[in-house]
Amino acid sequence: MSELEMPTVITAIANSEAEGFVAGTLYAQGWNVVFRAIDWDTLERFVNGNQEIVQGALLLFASDLPGISRNKVDDLARKFRQT
């Protein structure tokens, strides 16, 4: 029987309570939460420095993220498997 590979996830949520709930829930279900950004600049730096991780990852983000804009989301979304 083969092992089911759980998704790799990056969260980008400024509200620490909401982010903790999301990341904790995903982790409890076996998902691999590899990065937890609290602002857009931090997210961009991680993405630009870790393309090998990002290209297969899911990005979960909230609209409360400081520095977020529709254009920035559109540009960054191309680097992820799914947003």
Side-chain angles (χ1 to χ4, degrees), residues 12-21 37-38 62 64-66:
I13 303 168
N15 179 301
S16 61
E17 188 174 307
E19 193 285 328
F21 175 77
I38 58 169
D64 72 340
L65 203 64

Side-chain angles (χ1 to χ4, degrees), residues 35-48 66:
F35 190 73
R36 298 165 70 176
I38 58 169
D39 62 55
W40 192 264
D41 291 337
T42 303
L43 175 62
E44 281 186 322
R45 280 194 303 275
F46 179 81
V47 168
N48 291 331

Side-chain angles (χ1 to χ4, degrees), residues 8-70:
T8 298
V9 180
I10 295 168
T11 63
I13 303 168
N15 179 301
S16 61
E17 188 174 307
E19 193 285 328
F21 175 77
V22 169
T25 301
L26 293 172
Y27 181 78
Q29 295 300 313
W31 292 38
N32 186 15
V33 181
V34 296
F35 190 73
R36 298 165 70 176
I38 58 169
D39 62 55
W40 192 264
D41 291 337
T42 303
L43 175 62
E44 281 186 322
R45 280 194 303 275
F46 179 81
V47 168
N48 291 331
N50 295 283
Q51 280 299 302
E52 67 285 349
I53 295 170
V54 171
Q55 65 188 0
L58 303 174
L59 171 63
L60 300 178
F61 68 92
S63 60
D64 72 340
L65 203 64
I68 196 171
S69 72
R70 181 65 187 184

